[in-house]
Amino acid sequence: MSEHIAPLKLYAFVFITLLILTVVTWQIAYIDLGRWNTVVALVIAIGKASLVAAFFMHLRWSASMVRLVLFAALFWLAIMITLTAGDFFSRGHVQPWQASTQISQPMRSATLR
Amino acid sequence: MGMIASRREYQLHNTQTAVYEQFDDRTQQHEASSLGMWIFLATEIMFFGAVFTSYTVYRNLYTTAFEIGSHHLNTPIGAINTAVLICSSLTMALAVHAAQTGKRKQLMAYLVSTMLLGCVFLFIKFVLEWIHDYKEGFAPGLHWTYAGPHTNQVAMFFCFYFILTGIHATHMIVGEGIMVVLLYMAWKGRFSAERYNPIEMFGLYWHFVDIIWIFLFPLLYLLGAHF
């Protein structure tokens, strides 16, 4: 049965959990955890998003093909972020003024040759 | 089935069976519409994902500047807006529930509450935040007066802030418009316990916009709260 009617108690539970998690993530942000601030904030955000998707968006009871669409999108997103970040953080950042010299140098030598 | 003469007759025929003629049964029809909506949401994930990706890159390149920029945002207002949006998600879920159980008046009441909560969110965003940020001189290109350290990189953070909250607010405004149409349809009695797909599919859209905000709140507001 794909057209599932969720019990109202479950909605209330999800709603209260979402509000509690919002207060938690907001208050934790005032504590200095160094780089862990971002990690904690993102983990809580993923948890909240999963609650909304699973119960408010009925993914818990959806056909597996519907879930496949979501996971495919998240998979492509992960590829986009991983490859882009890998490129930026492994090659080092080039400032605009450095970029112009780096490009112009070989070009000048090419014209001289 | 026999011949269907007019559009009115066609609508009557379909209200009775609640299945469009290209589908075998209600389950297939329901899965088809869910699948279509989720494919649209997948494109939305990629649309927002591109901005999130560039955000990730520049957040890591200019960590300090992004924390300074984030520090100038009003975190309590962001948290209140998150709560407002979660409330609107609940009323939307309840609207779908009312549609599924064929309660027309409840459906209309929950749709109106969702619309009002959406308007509260937009009011806070426009009036209490954007206009305030603009007056403070945090609008890159329009009115940028921040002269502290890393001014160019902080300007970049505010570009992300205005673009991300801007396309999110655009989605909310579009949603409000669709809800006006849905409310009119509900008032006209177009939905029943057998036929409520538009309400449910719009619910998916509204919850998705909520999920986007669930990520925007920590990414924009919570970075620089701790100093």
Side-chain angles (χ1 to χ4, degrees):
Chain A
M1 183 66 189
S2 58
E3 294 173 76
H4 186 270
I5 300 176
L8 291 179
K9 269 186 186 172
L10 181 64
Y11 282 154
F13 174 75
V14 171
F15 171 67
I16 290 166
T17 314
L18 285 172
L19 285 186
I20 291 171
L21 285 177
T22 302
V23 174
V24 168
T25 189
W26 172 34
Q27 289 305 319
I28 284 183
Y30 289 100
I31 307 164
D32 193 353
L33 302 171
R35 60 175 55 194
W36 288 96
N37 271 103
T38 312
V39 177
V40 171
L42 279 180
V43 166
I44 293 178
I46 290 169
K48 285 165 75 184
S50 311
L51 278 176
V52 173
F55 300 110
F56 283 173
M57 297 173 92
H58 293 191
L59 263 193
R60 171 79 181 74
W61 309 285
S62 287
S64 31
M65 192 160 61
V66 172
R67 266 176 273 178
L68 184 67
V69 172
L70 173 65
F71 290 128
L74 294 177
F75 181 64
W76 288 114
L77 181 66
I79 289 178
M80 180 161 70
I81 292 180
T82 312
L83 290 189
T84 312
D87 203 25
F88 264 92
F89 303 131
S90 63
R91 295 190 193 196
H93 184 48
V94 181
Q95 297 292 342
W97 58 89
Q98 293 172 323
S100 63
T101 53
Q102 279 183 356
I103 292 168
S104 60
Q105 287 293 353
M107 278 178 72
R108 202 178 296 146
S109 59
T111 45
L112 284 173
R113 204 181 299 144
Chain B
M1 287 293 170
M3 285 283 285
I4 294 166
S6 66
R7 185 178 157 76
R8 174 78 190 136
E9 207 177 316
Y10 177 78
Q11 281 176 347
L12 277 175
H13 165 81
N14 271 294
T15 316
Q16 281 151 15
T17 62
V19 178
Y20 281 99
E21 59 183 323
Q22 67 266 36
F23 296 113
D24 291 338
D25 51 36
R26 274 183 61 189
T27 309
Q28 192 194 39
Q29 172 173 279
H30 180 261
E31 281 176 6
S33 57
S34 294
L35 186 64
M37 194 62 203
W38 273 103
I39 288 173
F40 167 69
L41 294 182
T43 69
E44 290 275 275
I45 290 175
M46 300 316 288
F47 168 67
F48 279 98
V51 194
F52 281 132
T53 307
S54 48
Y55 178 89
T56 309
V57 168
Y58 289 108
R59 159 92 169 79
N60 281 287
L61 288 178
Y62 310 124
T63 311
T64 320
F66 271 48
E67 283 177 353
I68 294 170
S70 167
H71 188 69
H72 288 287
L73 295 179
N74 194 331
T75 312
I77 283 190
I80 288 168
N81 245 355
T82 311
V84 169
L85 214 50
I86 288 171
C87 290
S88 86
S89 243
L90 174 73
T91 54
M92 190 64 230
L94 292 174
V96 173
H97 190 274
Q100 285 177 322
T101 46
K103 288 170 182 148
R104 176 169 157 272
K105 280 190 176 163
Q106 270 194 26
L107 166 63
M108 288 172 66
Y110 284 132
L111 277 179
V112 170
S113 342
T114 312
M115 284 170 70
L116 288 178
L117 286 164
C119 287
V120 169
F121 178 91
L122 287 171
F123 175 83
I124 292 176
K125 178 110 259 114
F126 282 117
V127 179
L128 299 184
E129 290 199 84
W130 280 357
I131 292 178
H132 174 79
D133 296 333
Y134 177 83
K135 283 180 181 162
E136 291 282 306
F138 285 125
L142 292 171
H143 187 225
W144 182 256
T145 54
Y146 172 78
H150 309 287
T151 177
N152 287 343
Q153 287 77 11
V154 175
M156 183 178 249
F157 170 82
F158 273 93
C159 284
F160 275 112
Y161 166 72
F162 279 107
I163 290 171
L164 280 167
T165 55
I167 52 180
H168 178 264
T170 310
H171 277 77
M172 303 263 313
I173 293 167
V174 169
E176 295 278 348
I178 298 171
M179 262 192 288
V180 171
V181 179
L182 290 180
L183 187 64
Y184 175 77
M185 288 169 79
W187 179 58
K188 283 276 180 184
R190 299 271 178 84
F191 304 119
S192 65
E194 285 75 40
R195 174 180 273 285
Y196 55 84
N197 265 8
I199 300 283
E200 197 184 353
M201 294 311 121
F202 176 75
L204 293 180
Y205 174 88
W206 195 257
H207 296 311
F208 176 80
V209 176
D210 185 25
I211 287 179
I212 292 292
W213 183 261
I214 284 174
F215 283 100
L216 291 188
F217 174 57
L219 288 179
L220 296 173
Y221 290 79
L222 297 182
L223 294 184
H226 60 266
F227 57 84

